[in-house]
């Protein structure tokens, strides 16, 4: 466990992740990082929140520790726990403690999915106290200056059981994310799927049409990621209809009618 | 574990936390502390309950141990537990035991969120018996004179499942908190966000208008903390509309109509 | 663990707790203690059940072990468990076993809140068998003659899920508790809050009026304890309206209309 | 653990428990014991099922191991478990294993309350296989000839969640219990409460009247045990109305109307 | 643990269990055993499924490991677990692993009652892969040729929560069981209860009539086992009405009307 | 644990599993494997998803690790855990970690059945990050190039509680599976059940008719596997009606009417 001081380095990004700014969000989060203000990213699946955080971590030169939250995530999973090593009990810092000590950005993805103790553990870290109580060790750790807390939240998942409490929400500056504008999304697809500008344009058009179906029975729009998948398949020689079937339609809907509607869109565009 | 006697010192506040009294609450809690009466703070999120307790702890010269309660908080988390250290089992005091022994103010924030065993553990501490049974050690610890129990409770969160029992409530003197009056809130924002009096005034006005929306579909009013965030962003050069968007509107609502209404308010004021 | 035989002494009351008899309950419980009959105390919060048990324990010269029951209280919490001490596993008696062995009064407060295994563990102790099976040790302990089981039960908390089973209820002699009569309650307040007879009288009158509101939307009446709190605040110089606000109204209701009604009562009386 | 062979002796009854036969049940259970047929006792609380089993155990000269079942009772609680003793793990037989090995009557009281694994563990013991699988040790123990399984079941507690499965029920011969006939109950009360025949008669009459109220809103009739309590109080000098109040009315009902009705019955009889 | 190889022998039947074939089921299961096809036995309680499996195990000369499934049965209970023995951790095979290694018939009785991980663990064992993954040891064990999986399932217990998934059901050949035909059931009762042919005939007639009541409010018909119990009581001298009361009526119904109806049947037949 | 590097070899298929391609799925998944795109297989029970994955694993020359997901499957079951071995705690890789390190195809069968932490653990593995966080060891493992993630999903099991989240779905390229076309299914049955072409044809016809009943009350169609079972029984000499009864009708329905309908189909075809 001696080497743990070094561990934080594996969380440091070595290459600049590609990110196209949409609406001044880089400036806002830079200010938040200086003012030690915690940040909440709101928006649907696959519209670039994770990539944005990676970009900011690189830009601010801080390690990035990402935790995908889920129903069984407890406070101990974040803070740390005692583990038995041979004859001794050794304390092992959790990802949040690691970040608090070493000045990382800790990104709690979809925090609303976590157990309630997890939500509450971030409270004293997200007001002017900025400390993390480690109750099992009877300690309070003050966050170093570079520590920054970022959470994400998808307002589209409405549920009484999984609502972020106001006493949590009101601790964060919030930035709204949505799908990127056409020109930016096109550049992203071109770059990541290595397709021609023309195909990228068609995929962006398809994405736009499919997202409009959200008001007509589709649960959620298609993510940029899936459009990149479709581009990749096309670039590898798969016919575009088959590629869109496998990478766009099948992943987002099980409904035969919706399936046909999107197939029509694909035919019309390609 | 030898050094634990010293641990309590890390809970002592070294600087006076800024607090503006509203309605004689400092006097009441001072008397309660002398009369060994436990205190319940009632009120919405972000209206200054935590800051008030910090202020009282400083004023009374006692350490402050804060526990943010949550669904998975058990009595053992408060009282303490045995931990395996190498070949020996060592008892580690929990935050409540620490406070009972060393005369701290123990602040159980949103106690109604905790598991029921947690609620009940404070019963013998909150009547004239003033002892803490540590069943796992077969001990009863009498609280030292300076020990004081403070709990908070948000009546706005109404729920059958999460109701404080009358047998708990009727053990506490209670003080109602609400958002601070305009002049006091303005001074707080000026001081903490380092903005001009004029901007502070506008933010207070915005806060007031937004809080009135609570009767028109807004779940909870905006906290003073968020108004300070908005001030901070403005002070760092963010245009006021964008600052209010990020620090006031996005954190408190996901509803597009409510969003527009508050945007209108921002436009009208700034 | 050698010294555990002595532990029971810490449960012995050294001073006579003040208690005013209401309706022959001291005689009845004295007979029950001689006849080895278990006793159930029925009644609302804060009307003196705990104090009565303390009084009886002192009078009968027996140690008193009180357990506040809650949803997570298991049979093991009462009976005892094995704990790892260094290299050995040591059995530690729980509070019930302690009482059964050393002839204490064991008082299970609000037993209906406990888990079901806890309710059932008292069955063989509360009929003529009077033994406690300690299944983990493969033992049956016969209760010594002085052991006495007392439980409390608040019929006001009606709930299908939290109903004491008839097979449990029908093992206990039962005594009904209610708020003390005016003259007795007055003497209690005078003594405990150190206020004048006149103020005590006014507080009793307020208590009486507030308790009548139970049929008009108040969940439960005000306890004697809260009236003592109000008296204490007044005795310390707090104006009586403010004292009643903090010690009577805020603790028992969150409802603004009920709040105003009780404020009117306070104004009328003081 | 060496001495465990002797432990079974503590479960042997040394005095004949008083029991008045009602309807040939002693003969039936004697035959069942010879034919290795498991037995189910059906009937309400406090009508003598436990006493009957004690009587049969004495009569058949077998140890009696009683387990009061509850929601948290697991198969391991019955079968046994490994415990850590110093440096070694030692297997400790549970009450069922003890009975299976040493030929005891094992009485599972209110088996329907137990967890489902507990119900199922008795299946291979209650058909012609008569063995107990101890899965944690990879063993199957054949029951010795004298082992006998008795369960109790209260059909009055109707609940979808707590229904004994037909695949369990159909493994047992069943005997119905109800309150004893007047003459037998009178002799029981006389003997146990040490009251005169006249008082015993009055209490039996009261019992009969109260039991008739079951069709008029009373959850369950009064048990013989409570009538004995009332007799005991009267024998100790408590006036009969007060004695019936404490020992009969308060334990069985919280309803003021029912309370008054039974008070009238008491007045009419005494 | 060395001797565990021998343990499997205790699961081998040494005497041929009495079984009367009804409809070619012996042939079908013999083929299934050769073709390594898993088998599902469908049918109500007590109609001979368990006996049939015992018979097949004897006939095929394979050990039989029976597991009565229940709500708390986990995959680890079947597969095995690590246990601490002195200073070492030792792996102990569960019943399923034992059977897979040593070529036993493993009979999972009422598998639908088990936890879902238990159902899924048998999937790779019940298709052509025939292996058991032991995830805790990072191993995959291939079943030896003689291993055979048999499950039972009672379609009468309809419940949304306890429905065997199609992906499980469609892995098994299925045989329907019902109560045996009159002549076969008569021979069974004669043999097992040692009664005359005449009494056996009457009991079979009673069984038939009672089973017809299933369409008139009876939850499930009477099992052959209970008819054998009634015969045994009669053979021991209990009058036939009393014997049927104890062995047939009381175990299968709590309803007074149904009780009377069956009593009438008994009177008419005997 | 030294030998664990070798363990992965036991997951390598040594013979080519028989698989008939239906609609270009082999090509698509080959491209996905090259492009490091995770794959989701959608479709009903028993239509060949598992066999297809085996085939692809053989074809791509990679080990195949299959995990049948279920309600109690946790992230630790997939990632690994610390186990106590004698005096030391040893980390044991779970199946997912094994696959990530050694370049296996990890197939999570019916992932929607797993606990939510399991679903979330695959997120960073299924986007361009391709790493697996092992929080208990404070490590992040980057997947080797050959690692491929495949999940299956049955859209027919509709349930609010068991819905794959869009944020999970939108990480996978998806391929739809359904029952194989008649000619292919015939060849499969012929080969696996070793029956004549004529019988295989009849079984395919029966399968087709039964699957049409899905719109008339049948929960799910009959799988190819069950048709192979029926063929096997026929090949072993079981009359075709009896074989279809045992291998087709009984496993898929408990409903007497549906039973009769399918019996009619069998009679008409054979």
């Amino acid at each position: 466990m001696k080497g743990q001081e070094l561990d934080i380095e594996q969380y440091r990004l070595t290459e600049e992740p590609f990110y196209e700014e949409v609406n001044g969000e880089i400036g806002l989060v830079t200010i938040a990082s200086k003012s030690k203000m915690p940040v909440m990213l709101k928006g649907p699946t696959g519209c670039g929140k994770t990539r944005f955080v990676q970009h900011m971590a690189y830009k601010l030169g801080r390690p990035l520790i990402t935790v995908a939250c889920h129903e069984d995530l407890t406070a101990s999973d974040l803070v740390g726990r005692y583990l038995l090593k041979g004859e001794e009990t050794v304390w092992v810092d959790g990802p949040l403690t690691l970040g608090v000590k070493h000045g990382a950005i800790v990104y709690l993805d979809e925090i609303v999915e976590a157990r309630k103790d997890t939500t509450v553990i971030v409270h004293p870290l997200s007001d002017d106290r900025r400390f993390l109580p480690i109750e099992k060790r009877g300690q309070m750790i003050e966050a170093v200056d570079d520590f920054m807390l970022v959470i994400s939240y998808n307002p589209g998942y409405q549920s009484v059981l999984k609502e972020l409490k106001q006493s949590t929400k009101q601790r964060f500056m919030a930035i709204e994310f949505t799908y990127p504008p056409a020109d930016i999304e096109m550049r992203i697809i071109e770059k990541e799927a290595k397709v021609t500008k023309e195909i990228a344009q068609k995929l962006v058009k398809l994405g736009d049409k499919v997202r409009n179906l959200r008001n007509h029975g589709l649960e959620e729009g298609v993510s940029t990621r899936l459009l990149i998948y479709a581009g990749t398949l096309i670039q590898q020689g798969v016919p575009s209809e088959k590629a869109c079937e496998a990478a766009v339609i099948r992943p987002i809907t099980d409904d035969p009618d919706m399936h046909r509607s999107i197939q029509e869109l694909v035919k019309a565009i390609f």
Side-chain angles (χ1 to χ4, degrees), chain A:
Chain A
M1 283 295 114
K2 294 275 165 56
Q4 199 161 64
E5 310 311 313
L6 306 171
D7 272 351
I8 192 68
E9 289 312 309
Q10 67 179 317
Y11 294 101
R12 209 174 286 275
L13 287 90
T14 48
E15 284 170 66
E16 177 162 5
F18 174 70
Y19 181 77
E20 291 261 4
E21 187 170 24
V22 178
N23 187 21
E25 63 273 21
I26 294 179
L28 266 179
V29 171
T30 306
I31 292 175
S33 80
K34 278 186 208 149
S35 315
K36 298 181 184 168
M37 224 180 260
V39 172
M40 163 163 50
L41 310 180
K42 295 170 73 170
T45 288
C47 64
K49 297 191 297 288
T50 296
R51 185 64 69 91
F52 172 64
V53 179
Q54 291 178 311
H55 188 78
M56 289 309 303
Y58 182 83
K59 199 132 196 168
L60 297 170
R62 303 189 192 172
L64 171 65
I65 302 177
T66 300
V67 180
C69 298
H70 54 79
E71 269 174 10
D72 304 305
L73 191 87
T74 63
S76 295
D77 292 328
L78 289 182
V79 174
R81 49 168 56 89
Y82 282 106
L83 284 178
L84 206 67
K85 301 253 166 178
E87 304 221 346
E88 239 178 319
T89 314
V90 180
W91 172 264
V92 180
D93 283 340
L96 186 57
T97 307
L98 214 59
V100 163
K101 282 182 176 171
H102 297 89
I105 295 179
V106 175
Y107 177 41
L108 303 178
D109 195 8
E110 296 205 39
I111 195 177
V112 81
E113 299 286 334
R115 281 168 57 157
K116 291 295 156 57
D117 56 341
T118 310
T119 321
V120 148
I121 207 81
V122 307
H123 280 198
L125 270 177
S126 55
D127 56 28
D128 57 300
R129 292 176 288 171
R130 278 180 63 91
F131 68 76
L132 176 68
I134 306 188
E135 276 156 25
K136 282 192 184 134
R137 308 189 84 188
Q139 289 186 340
M140 287 204 299
I141 303 185
E142 227 186 285
V144 301
D145 280 2
D146 272 2
F147 167 74
M148 182 177 193
L149 184 63
V150 181
I151 64 175
S152 79
Y153 170 67
N154 185 343
Y157 293 157
Q158 290 152 328
S159 146
V160 181
L161 286 168
K162 295 205 165 164
E163 182 59 64
L164 215 50
K165 291 198 302 177
Q166 285 283 341
S167 62
T168 302
K169 277 183 183 175
Q170 297 210 6
R171 291 165 180 282
F172 293 86
M173 192 197 80
I175 295 173
E176 187 87 13
F177 276 73
T178 181
Y179 302 110
D183 54 332
I184 294 181
E185 189 164 43
M186 206 191 66
R187 279 204 301 276
I188 297 172
I189 296 172
E190 244 187 292
K191 186 172 180 312
E192 306 239 335
K194 304 188 183 72
V195 289
T196 63
K197 194 172 173 172
E198 198 201 336
I199 287 180
Q201 239 165 351
K202 284 182 175 171
L203 286 167
V204 167
K205 198 169 173 188
L206 177 64
D208 185 52
K209 296 283 186 203
V210 169
R211 286 162 192 162
N212 284 337
L213 291 173
R214 268 183 300 172
N215 305 321
H216 302 84
L218 194 65
E219 195 189 344
E220 201 163 310
V222 61
S223 63
T224 306
R225 185 188 295 124
L226 286 183
L227 296 177
I228 295 168
Y229 280 7
T232 305
L233 290 180
I234 290 168
Q235 196 270 342
Q236 298 265 346
V238 178
S240 48
E241 279 190 38
K242 193 149 198 177
C244 292
E245 173 97 19
V248 176
I249 311 180
R250 294 285 182 209
I252 66 174
T253 185
D254 304 333
D255 178 63
D257 292 337
M258 187 55 73
H259 192 146
R260 262 188 304 276
S261 306
I262 308 180
Q263 268 181 327
E264 294 304 321
L265 290 175
V266 173
K267 274 180 198 156
I269 291 168
F270 287 93

